[in-house]
Amino acid sequence: MAATSAIPTAPLQTSGVEPDAARTRRRKSDRRFRTTGDVVVFVVLCLGALTMLLPLAWMLSTSLKTQQNVFLLPPQWIPSPVEWGNYLRIWEAGPLLTGIVNSSIISLTVITIGTITSCFAAYGFSKMKIPGKNAIFLALLGGIMIPFPALMIPTFMLFSKIGWVDTLLPLIVPGLFGNLMMVFFLRQYLMSVPDSLIEAAVIDGARHPQIFGRIVLPLIRPAIAAQVILWFMGTWNDYLGPIIYLNSENVHTLQLVIANFNATYAVQTDYPLIMAASIVSLLPVLGVFLIFQRQIIESIALTGNKG
Amino acid sequence: MSATTTTPAPASVRLTGQGGTSRHRPGDGRLHRSERIWGRVFIAPPVIGFALFALAPLIFSFYAAFTHWNGLSAPLFSGLTNFRTMATDPQFWQSLWNTLFLMLGIPIGLAISLALALALNRQMPGRAAFRVIYYLPGVSSVAAISILWQWALNGDFGLVNQLLATVGIEGPNWLAEKMWVKPALILMGVWKGIGFSTLLYLAALQSVPRTLLEAAMLDGAGAWRRFRHVTLPMLSPVTFFLVVTGIIGGAQMFAEINIMTPTGGPEFGSATIVWYIWQQGFQNLQLGYATAMSLVLGLMIFLVTAIQFYLNSRNVFTVE
């Protein structure tokens, strides 16, 4: 199944029409209301959307206030004066830049190498003849059922024994071996690629790394993209892993830096500073989400539909 | 490895036999061997990673759970002591209860998401924008969102109480009162989570076969009965998936708790099981006890996940 068909964009009325035509027609009919019911639903949806956005808008608004104006009643929604200085102060108030650098190092290394290993493994599990393949696959399947909290203490001790605690290594190294969810997702995707395609290439004398690069990779590229984005958001937003392994400020990830901002400044009620720092921590993921939201939404719908 | 690669003849028959049209070639044995070697190389990393970072810690925790262990000296075997302590530890039961209570957010979130999905399934302007807006909190970082809600739930200046004040209600000091801390966390959880479930419901709604709805209409079923007897049953796999992933995720709730209520909340009212394990293990250095609790938690989550995989096994992850 292609990722692009995960959310059928055609409404019920046009099912049976070919996808592109259906999409254009939907767009046209989407621009107007047909019944009063539609208008009512639209208004309710707008109120709901407002509820979703209000806390985020408040965060943004607070981040631009002076400390005195934070506690004004009734609250100011549009700050006056606008205190852009908060966004300068945060860089000196805490190791925000260090956090961004550390989070980037972890995410980029893990995802680049982890994606490559996951793709090769998915290819192996779905398309290659390896003795005992299915038994191994089932064992790995058992592996993703073990939640991280159940393993965190022995894993911590393992990394402590080899002296990796308080370095980024415990957060990087396990990921380099691939992401099991990604392996399973890509394997599922590859199962729909006909075996004959690969067999033909084998008969023609292609070696497996070549087959992977020339045939398999281009086929699963959309699936990889979706998984990479989801994985990035997960790694970037991780909190439990970093809080266990990292003590020193110079190795803190962005999430820890933000949380520490809160612990330090909340008691001193410097909310504008905390909110400004939080906004900065949101920006990378929000950026990725807004750019790739189509792929993200589709891949979530696809993953979810399939269980 | 060599033992399994010394039988080229039957292997090549299998390789070429599947297509039906291929002929037996002299090179097949070599090809097949190369496939096995490359295959092993390809699947090795996740297998090694699994052995090192899941299997080995798991085996060790089966041992550590039966020891008295403070992380500094070697674990000392103590039999079932940890499990006996657990049975009589009020904080363990309280944190388990808190975790279950917070899962009330799951049915609430599902009901709202289903309604949202039904609304978004109509043809109207702004559908794509709504999808993005409702999903926005879901992608935001837990740390930032927790801080935002801690501030929003502030008793004196928080957004929630200010909004309540406009309709004349004086809100409680949410995170500082035992009665209100869990509803407050549920409120935030629902806000953060509905985008995800709405998307899944929307996808499922759009794949309900139109023929079924038409047939029901011809049989004289009204809108409600079509929804109740056609649409709703078609959505049950998604509901099931969301309930199960909700339970798995809910059982592991940690970041929100640790950031918003760093001491486990008023009268331990918001400490979740993972938070308590973390606190016992890494703050109080009761590693043996914490491991015992994490094994219990792991077993519970494993069972829930296994049921889900079992029931979905035909759909997903098919092993031929």
Side-chain angles (χ1 to χ4, degrees), chain A residues 208-281:
Chain A
H208 281 281
Q210 275 179 315
I211 298 175
F212 179 82
R214 300 250 177 92
I215 300 172
V216 175
L217 201 60
L219 280 172
I220 58 174
R221 197 172 289 145
I224 296 173
Q227 288 289 304
V228 163
I229 297 158
L230 291 177
W231 197 7
F232 167 75
M233 296 201 293
T235 317
W236 188 267
N237 289 335
D238 185 23
Y239 179 76
L240 184 54
I243 202 173
I244 288 173
Y245 296 119
L246 309 174
N247 302 312
S248 315
E249 269 197 350
N250 65 324
V251 286
H252 275 182
T253 62
L254 185 55
Q255 304 307 322
L256 287 188
V257 174
I258 299 297
N260 284 346
F261 251 98
N262 188 43
T264 316
Y265 293 97
V267 281
Q268 299 160 27
T269 61
D270 199 338
Y271 284 107
L273 196 69
I274 303 164
M275 293 299 143
S278 300
I279 294 268
V280 169
S281 87

Side-chain angles (χ1 to χ4, degrees), chain A:
Chain A
M1 180 190 289
T4 44
S5 66
I7 292 183
T9 38
L12 290 175
Q13 283 75 2
T14 52
S15 57
V17 183
E18 66 139 343
D20 277 341
R23 198 168 293 159
T24 341
R25 262 172 68 181
R26 195 211 73 194
R27 288 232 174 95
K28 269 177 200 155
S29 61
D30 264 10
R31 285 201 200 102
R32 57 173 195 269
F33 299 105
R34 292 173 309 150
T35 61
T36 42
D38 281 348
V39 179
V40 173
V41 170
F42 181 79
V43 171
V44 173
L45 280 174
C46 281
L47 288 175
L50 203 62
T51 318
M52 301 307 283
L53 289 177
L54 218 53
L56 292 170
W58 200 49
M59 188 180 208
L60 184 66
S61 152
T62 307
S63 79
L64 292 169
K65 286 178 187 170
T66 60
Q67 277 187 64
Q68 298 89 311
N69 285 358
V70 165
F71 302 106
L72 281 184
L73 288 174
Q76 270 186 333
W77 279 96
I78 295 158
S80 113
V82 178
E83 185 63 47
W84 292 104
N86 293 333
Y87 282 88
L88 295 175
R89 280 201 298 144
I90 51 174
W91 302 98
E92 284 134 40
L96 202 59
L97 193 63
T98 317
I100 293 174
V101 170
N102 288 332
S103 288
S104 308
I105 292 174
I106 295 172
S107 309
L108 295 180
T109 325
V110 163
I111 288 159
T112 314
I113 299 176
T115 301
I116 296 170
T117 44
S118 304
C119 290
F120 276 119
Y123 173 54
F125 277 121
S126 58
K127 285 285 166 261
M128 298 178 78
K129 292 178 183 66
I130 310 161
K133 180 174 79 171
N134 291 339
I136 298 170
F137 185 74
L138 279 176
L140 292 189
L141 202 61
I144 51 170
M145 295 186 202
I146 312 170
F148 175 68
L151 300 174
M152 68 182 175
I153 292 163
T155 315
F156 174 82
M157 291 316 286
L158 168 78
F159 287 124
S160 155
K161 276 272 184 305
I162 53 178
W164 284 6
V165 168
D166 217 20
T167 71
L168 299 181
L169 291 170
L171 299 167
I172 293 176
V173 175
L176 303 183
F177 292 90
N179 176 330
L180 289 182
M181 279 315 290
M182 186 158 172
V183 173
F184 293 134
F185 182 79
L186 294 179
R187 174 187 178 270
Q188 188 64 16
Y189 204 90
L190 275 172
M191 296 301 265
S192 61
V193 175
D195 283 344
S196 54
L197 200 65
I198 282 130
E199 274 161 16
V202 171
I203 305 291
D204 287 346
R207 299 177 70 97
H208 281 281
Q210 275 179 315
I211 298 175
F212 179 82
R214 300 250 177 92
I215 300 172
V216 175
L217 201 60
L219 280 172
I220 58 174
R221 197 172 289 145
I224 296 173
Q227 288 289 304
V228 163
I229 297 158
L230 291 177
W231 197 7
F232 167 75
M233 296 201 293
T235 317
W236 188 267
N237 289 335
D238 185 23
Y239 179 76
L240 184 54
I243 202 173
I244 288 173
Y245 296 119
L246 309 174
N247 302 312
S248 315
E249 269 197 350
N250 65 324
V251 286
H252 275 182
T253 62
L254 185 55
Q255 304 307 322
L256 287 188
V257 174
I258 299 297
N260 284 346
F261 251 98
N262 188 43
T264 316
Y265 293 97
V267 281
Q268 299 160 27
T269 61
D270 199 338
Y271 284 107
L273 196 69
I274 303 164
M275 293 299 143
S278 300
I279 294 268
V280 169
S281 87
L282 285 183
L283 287 179
V285 256
L286 288 192
V288 168
F289 173 64
L290 290 176
I291 295 168
F292 297 105
Q293 48 102 1
R294 219 185 119 83
Q295 288 89 326
I296 293 172
I297 285 172
E298 278 168 358
S299 84
I300 286 163
L302 185 66
T303 321
N305 252 345
K306 296 227 151 185

Side-chain angles (χ1 to χ4, degrees), chain B residues 70-194:
Chain B
N70 61 10
L72 306 168
S73 51
L76 197 72
F77 190 75
S78 66
L80 288 170
T81 314
N82 288 330
F83 293 93
R84 268 194 225 110
T85 314
M86 208 185 301
T88 55
D89 178 356
Q91 294 202 312
F92 169 74
W93 293 106
Q94 173 78 47
S95 59
L96 205 58
W97 164 245
N98 291 343
T99 311
L100 288 175
F101 193 109
L102 292 176
M103 287 183 190
L104 270 179
I106 300 171
I108 298 171
L110 286 188
I112 299 176
S113 307
L114 179 56
L116 272 176
L118 288 169
L120 286 173
N121 200 31
R122 303 164 78 108
Q123 286 178 292
M124 64 170 65
R127 286 202 318 175
F130 284 130
R131 258 181 8 181
V132 173
I133 291 171
Y134 282 103
Y135 194 61
L136 210 51
V139 295
S140 310
S141 96
V142 187
I145 291 301
S146 303
I147 293 168
L148 166 66
W149 276 88
Q150 190 185 23
W151 175 213
L153 292 163
N154 179 298
D156 298 319
F157 306 99
L159 179 68
V160 174
N161 280 0
Q162 287 182 7
L163 288 178
L164 286 177
T166 58
V167 288
I169 300 172
E170 194 187 331
N173 194 354
W174 297 89
L175 298 177
E177 287 172 32
K178 194 179 183 183
M179 202 187 138
W180 291 108
V181 66
K182 284 193 276 281
L185 288 167
I186 290 173
L187 172 71
M188 169 190 147
V190 169
W191 177 79
K192 187 166 164 51
I194 51 170

Side-chain angles (χ1 to χ4, degrees), chain B:
Chain B
M1 187 183 281
S2 59
T4 48
T5 50
T6 46
T7 51
S12 60
V13 170
R14 245 187 293 145
L15 176 73
T16 54
Q18 281 172 349
T21 49
S22 321
R23 284 177 294 116
H24 188 93
R25 285 158 182 251
D28 283 350
R30 187 189 53 77
L31 278 180
H32 200 89
R33 212 176 98 201
S34 134
E35 178 168 350
R36 284 177 173 195
I37 293 168
W38 278 115
R40 285 193 177 102
V41 172
F42 286 174
I43 65 170
V47 173
I48 295 169
F50 169 70
L52 284 180
F53 305 114
L55 207 56
L58 185 69
I59 291 166
F60 184 71
S61 67
F62 271 105
Y63 164 70
F66 297 93
T67 65
H68 182 78
W69 182 31
N70 61 10
L72 306 168
S73 51
L76 197 72
F77 190 75
S78 66
L80 288 170
T81 314
N82 288 330
F83 293 93
R84 268 194 225 110
T85 314
M86 208 185 301
T88 55
D89 178 356
Q91 294 202 312
F92 169 74
W93 293 106
Q94 173 78 47
S95 59
L96 205 58
W97 164 245
N98 291 343
T99 311
L100 288 175
F101 193 109
L102 292 176
M103 287 183 190
L104 270 179
I106 300 171
I108 298 171
L110 286 188
I112 299 176
S113 307
L114 179 56
L116 272 176
L118 288 169
L120 286 173
N121 200 31
R122 303 164 78 108
Q123 286 178 292
M124 64 170 65
R127 286 202 318 175
F130 284 130
R131 258 181 8 181
V132 173
I133 291 171
Y134 282 103
Y135 194 61
L136 210 51
V139 295
S140 310
S141 96
V142 187
I145 291 301
S146 303
I147 293 168
L148 166 66
W149 276 88
Q150 190 185 23
W151 175 213
L153 292 163
N154 179 298
D156 298 319
F157 306 99
L159 179 68
V160 174
N161 280 0
Q162 287 182 7
L163 288 178
L164 286 177
T166 58
V167 288
I169 300 172
E170 194 187 331
N173 194 354
W174 297 89
L175 298 177
E177 287 172 32
K178 194 179 183 183
M179 202 187 138
W180 291 108
V181 66
K182 284 193 276 281
L185 288 167
I186 290 173
L187 172 71
M188 169 190 147
V190 169
W191 177 79
K192 187 166 164 51
I194 51 170
F196 178 70
S197 25
T198 304
L199 282 186
L200 292 197
Y201 270 134
L202 198 54
L205 276 177
Q206 292 178 341
S207 57
V208 172
R210 180 163 160 67
T211 46
L212 277 185
L213 292 168
E214 276 171 352
M217 206 188 277
L218 286 178
D219 288 343
W224 167 250
R225 292 190 60 187
R226 283 201 304 274
F227 172 72
R228 175 69 191 77
H229 296 287
V230 180
T231 312
L232 211 52
M234 296 294 288
L235 295 180
S236 63
V238 174
T239 307
F240 177 72
F241 172 79
L242 286 170
V243 168
V244 170
T245 49
I247 293 173
I248 295 170
Q252 301 184 52
M253 200 168 169
F254 172 79
E256 301 89 325
I257 307 302
N258 198 44
I259 294 172
M260 294 169 75
T261 57
T263 55
E267 297 170 60
F268 218 64
S270 64
T272 55
I273 183 74
V274 173
W275 188 86
Y276 188 50
I277 292 171
W278 174 80
Q279 194 238 10
Q280 284 295 304
F282 296 103
Q283 308 281 290
N284 293 354
L285 294 178
Q286 297 290 320
L287 289 173
Y289 184 43
T291 309
M293 287 193 288
S294 68
L295 266 191
V296 171
L297 169 73
L299 188 69
M300 291 191 283
I301 297 179
F302 181 86
L303 287 176
V304 173
T305 321
I307 292 169
Q308 187 215 347
F309 269 97
Y310 173 74
L311 291 173
N312 273 338
S313 56
R314 261 159 243 281
N315 278 337
V316 223
F317 310 147
T318 340
V319 177
E320 71 276 48

